[in-house]
Amino acid sequence: MSTLRARSPVSYLLALPAALWMLAALIVPTIFIVWVSFWATRTFSLASPLALINYAKFFSRSTYVKLLVDTVQQSLLLMAITLVLGYCIAYFIVVKVRRPQLQLWLFLLLVVPFWTSALIRTIAWIPFLGVTGVINQALLFLGVVDQPVSAFLYSLTGITLAQVSFYTLLATGPVAYTLRNVPPSLREAAQCLKATPLHVFWRITFPLTLPGVVIGQILVFLNVMADFATASAIGGNKYAFLGNLVILLYDSGQLPFASVIAVLLMLCMLGGVAVLLKMVDIRRLGVA
Amino acid sequence: MIDWRTRQTLVTGALGAVTVLFLAYQWLPMLTMALLSFTGPDGGPTFPMRGVSLHWYRELARVQMVDDFKPPMFRSLVLALACSVTTAALALAAAQAIRARFRGSNPFFYLVLLGIMAPGLLVGFGVAVVTRILGIPLAWYTTTFAVHVVWTLPFGFLTLLAAFNRFDVRLEEAALTLGANRWRAFWRVTFPLVLPGVIGAGLFGFTLSYDEFARSLFSTGSEQTLPLVIFAQFDRQLQPTLYAIGTVTTVVSLVTVALFSLLYRIVRQRTRTLANETT
């Protein structure tokens, strides 16, 4: 018995506002993007005939295709870095730190930046990366280099440095969550049976946290694929990803071509998520 | 071969070093920004600092025309408040509906969660396309609001699902057995018990909307929200004023989180005492 009978008609009424909101502001716009991407005209025109001309244009220019490859490449790079870094951090905080008080503080230090503006955090990286920036001044001071390195600001290195600081949390969180649900007794049992620590990790701990790893990787993948602010703020005009191209085309009024990029971006994201989900049964997450 | 105890210590030390270094790496830019915002009137956007002053904060308060951050900040706060209330209300209704396991509740669950997965830039772009075709004007209190809730609702929804999963259903059953009707039982028993979850949903609604940039980019009209104005100013010129406004909005975000957590703790404490008294 509950305040709502099973399959009560009231439940439809309760679900309706949220469902309508998501349909109107998420599903319908997506359908419109797909529709507009088939418009054969260059600019906005409702009477436009439908054709694949804009898709052909995308795949016939190597600059556009290269942008797609660059975007996917950057996502893969970030996934690799955040996977290792995120796992180490989660493992340290959840398994190695024994004092709950310290655990809480480390966790807060890790999570609190999530509650602040990503844009401000991006801007905050600028004084670090420039020729007269903090990194260069530190390197000069330590004598590592004798001339300032200009490779940080307006470069892929700078973009990657900033992205790692934003997105590692997304990989850490789900791993920490699954790691907390692995009983320490499992590890102890394996150790009693003479398994080496490395063996224990790869045969017991890692497989049990795999759902968390995959969720984290999905979040990092989706965020890096759609990231444009880091590239435009730190990369200057020199570096761009697909998201930046959507903005550029929208600003110059080429709505159909911008939609093509948006559709391709969404397809890549869906494909990536499908591949990642193949690796693990997501419904096991709660049980692991 | 080193013995296992030394090896264990080495591993722990290495992992600890990675964690501490990462935390420093994550926090240093923000702290540097805060520090640089107090540079003197002749100071530039990077080190060395030229004196210490509140010049750039005074500048924030003084400027009236182009770079006035006050109206956008007001808009962002109002928008965040609206998103907070809407998220809490819609998420509460949606999570309660899911409990009834109605036909189609599975697709409904995924429909709501899609809001987290969908790339912000493209959701905003899609809404801009729709409004262009249908001839609806863009405005921060209509289109931006709609797009922000798509982002905040799933977070609130998950928070409330967790709250409904945790609470003791027997309390609800007791109320119904004692003759309360379902409406009354919900508001007198269920709602107070999941209230901490409702507050959590409200927090997500507020902060995620307040800081949102990507989703607002295409969906906002000429009256822009704070992140948009900050980005426009950043695009023109990097000045210490940006560090000042950045520090101010970061403090606003953190104070909001602190206030909500305080409220959450108070309510949870009260809920626990209530639940203990009745059982």
Side-chain angles (χ1 to χ4, degrees), chain B residues 1 39 51 53 56 66 75 140 159 161 165 193 195 231 276:
Chain B
M1 191 77 190
T39 188
S53 77
W56 301 101
V66 198
R75 276 176 222 133
W140 62 273
T159 314
L161 282 184
N165 265 336
L193 284 172
L195 190 55
F231 191 72
N276 285 340

Side-chain angles (χ1 to χ4, degrees), chain A residues 1-8 11-12 14-15 17-19 21-23 25-29 32-33 35-36 39 44 46 85 88-89 91-93 96 106 109-110 112-117 119-121 123-128 132-134 137 160-162 164-165 168-169 197 218-219 222 226 228-229 232-233 243 246-247 250-251 255 258-259 262 265-266 269, chain B residues 7-8 11-12 15-16 18-19 22-23 25-30 32-33 36 45-47 86 90 93-94 96-97 99-103 108 111-112 114-115 117-119 121-123 125-130 132-133 145-146 149-150 153-154 169 172-173 176-177 182 185-186 190 203-204 207-208 211 213-214 217-218 227 230-231 234 238 243 246 250 253-254 257:
Chain A
M1 194 153 66
S2 127
T3 42
L4 204 61
R5 250 172 298 131
R7 295 178 191 279
S8 148
S11 59
Y12 291 102
L14 286 169
W21 202 297
M22 298 315 265
L23 282 174
L26 182 62
I27 305 298
V28 169
F32 270 64
I33 293 179
W35 175 43
V36 173
W39 286 6
F44 188 84
L46 275 178
L85 199 55
C88 286
I89 295 169
Y91 197 85
F92 180 74
I93 296 181
K96 293 291 183 183
L106 286 174
L109 279 176
L110 184 73
V112 163
F114 173 74
W115 297 105
T116 66
S117 160
L119 181 62
I120 299 295
R121 291 178 69 195
I123 293 176
W125 268 98
I126 305 284
F128 261 72
T132 56
V134 175
Q137 288 181 13
T160 310
L161 280 174
V164 167
S165 83
T168 300
L169 169 68
I218 289 177
L219 292 176
L222 292 177
F228 64 95
S232 72
V246 175
I247 299 177
Y250 181 86
D251 287 344
L255 220 48
S259 302
L265 192 52
M266 283 192 281
M269 292 167 97
Chain B
R7 207 165 50 195
Q8 192 85 351
V11 170
T12 309
L15 290 177
V18 168
T19 307
F22 177 76
L23 290 177
Y25 173 67
Q26 178 174 256
W27 280 92
L28 272 180
M30 294 168 80
T32 314
M33 180 187 73
L36 282 173
T46 182
F47 286 110
T86 313
L90 289 187
Q96 168 80 350
R99 292 175 74 206
R101 307 228 157 275
F102 60 92
R103 208 178 293 276
F108 173 70
L111 175 68
V112 177
L114 214 53
M117 296 286 195
L121 181 72
L122 299 188
V123 180
F125 175 66
V127 167
V129 169
V130 170
R132 181 92 181 264
I133 289 172
F145 174 51
V149 171
V150 167
L153 180 59
V169 200
E172 213 176 38
E173 284 165 2
L176 292 167
T177 322
R182 291 177 196 274
F186 178 82
T190 317
L203 171 64
F204 274 117
T207 55
L208 292 181
D211 292 327
F213 169 58
L217 192 61
F218 289 135
I230 290 177
F231 191 72
F234 170 74
L238 184 60
Y243 298 156
T250 306
S253 298
L254 296 183
V257 176

Side-chain angles (χ1 to χ4, degrees), chain A residues 3, chain B residues 172 175-176 178-192:
Chain A
T3 42
Chain B
E172 213 176 38
L176 292 167
L178 292 170
N181 63 29
R182 291 177 196 274
W183 179 255
R184 206 173 144 83
F186 178 82
W187 288 112
R188 294 295 294 274
V189 178
T190 317
F191 182 71

